[in-house]
Amino acid sequence: MIHTLAPRGPLAGLIERVWLDDAFERPHRAERILPGGSLDLIANLTPGTDPAILAAGARAGPFTFHAGGTRTVLGVAFRPGGAAPFLGVPADEIRDAIVPLRELWGPEADALSGRLASAGSPGARLAEAERTLLGRLARSPRRHPGVAMAVEILGDGTGGPPVAAVARRVGLGPRRLSRAFQAEVGLPPKLYARIRRFGEVLRLAASASRVEWAAVAQACGYYDQAHLIRDFRAFAGMSPTEYLAMRGGLANPHHLPEPS
């Protein structure tokens, strides 16, 4: 069963949700995870396993998650750029990587792992994660306001202005925006916008009973269907047709059963 907590107060604008799946069973041993432009914290709380928390950086391509034997997982899904106040390092330092949180937080990460593992209920685990994040936020520098504005302007990547125009609107030069954006979001602005647009493609494909890729390409602002296919291959490692054939019954369009 999946339990969720909608962050409150100052966490609401930074974290999309904190979740716990205590029946994390899959008919397949591995999943391909497609990029979405944001970061996550993941803790495997399955009894008998190391409860170390992992920080999954923003990615520009797919990666494979080996789920065999995993039963209980807690996650923190940050909004784009929302992880910056919590990491302790620039977000682009863990781009395309999954690192133990102890490498970023030191002993504080192991202490949180222990508290999550020993908490007596799903609600207690979610509340402990929220408390820890609130405490971390209170000791962290604030986000760059220009980056937060740029993320909002770029939106889902389907109709945002060019990066140079975004920089002008937020009052920064293009290079300065790019440096600040990468430090907080983990990706350059242009690449981030492409990945967000790719996510909108996945969302539209998941909601359609029959996918018309030319119509999806037009709705998402691609030059043509060939342009969509090039981006799809870059971010998913496969064609749109192959993606539909692999989708299976997973609810999240960014997750696919990995062929064994």
Side-chain angles (χ1 to χ4, degrees):
M1 179 177 179
I2 298 179
H3 312 265
T4 62
L5 182 152
R8 297 163 291 179
L11 295 180
L14 302 171
I15 297 172
E16 181 178 330
R17 64 181 182 135
V18 184
W19 57 272
L20 175 76
D21 189 341
D22 56 8
F24 188 90
E25 296 187 43
R26 298 289 190 269
H28 45 274
R29 294 189 59 82
E31 289 183 11
R32 181 178 300 197
I33 314 297
L34 308 185
S38 58
L39 290 82
D40 295 271
L41 299 182
I42 302 292
N44 183 354
L45 301 177
T46 304
T49 64
D50 178 2
I53 303 169
L54 301 176
R59 308 187 71 89
F63 75 97
T64 298
F65 168 65
H66 295 279
T70 302
R71 294 293 178 268
T72 304
V73 181
L74 182 143
V76 178
F78 292 99
R79 299 186 188 279
F86 303 96
L87 293 179
V89 299
D92 54 343
E93 288 192 12
I94 60 169
R95 172 182 162 179
D96 294 317
I98 299 176
V99 302
L101 189 62
R102 66 170 63 97
E103 292 185 10
L104 309 180
W105 287 14
E108 185 180 351
D110 291 328
L112 174 58
S113 296
R115 294 195 300 272
L116 292 175
S118 61
S121 68
R125 285 173 161 172
L126 294 173
E128 182 57 49
E130 183 183 43
R131 267 193 306 272
T132 301
L133 291 165
L134 275 169
R136 185 88 182 174
L137 182 61
R139 308 192 305 270
S140 301
R142 293 187 177 184
R143 295 181 65 190
H144 192 301
V147 174
M149 289 175 61
V151 167
E152 184 175 353
I153 293 168
L154 291 170
D156 62 9
T158 61
V163 172
V166 174
R168 287 194 297 272
R169 287 176 61 177
V170 304
L172 296 173
R175 290 185 180 179
R176 188 177 173 194
L177 173 62
S178 182
R179 288 194 299 269
F181 198 97
Q182 290 186 74
E184 293 200 6
V185 179
L187 300 163
K190 185 174 181 179
L191 177 58
Y192 166 81
R194 288 176 58 206
I195 290 172
R196 296 295 287 181
R197 177 167 59 178
F198 168 70
E200 184 65 6
V201 168
L202 299 184
R203 187 190 69 79
L204 291 178
S207 64
S209 57
R210 184 173 182 273
V211 183
E212 298 288 350
W213 290 112
V216 171
Q218 184 177 30
C220 292
Y222 288 93
Y223 298 126
D224 52 28
Q225 187 173 341
H227 184 199
L228 180 153
I229 292 171
R230 286 194 296 272
D231 261 15
F232 210 105
R233 288 189 179 278
F235 299 136
M238 65 183 72
S239 71
T241 301
E242 291 169 326
Y243 168 82
L244 289 182
M246 287 178 63
R247 274 287 294 134
L250 295 181
N252 190 329
H254 287 265
H255 291 224
L256 297 171
E258 190 75 89
S260 56

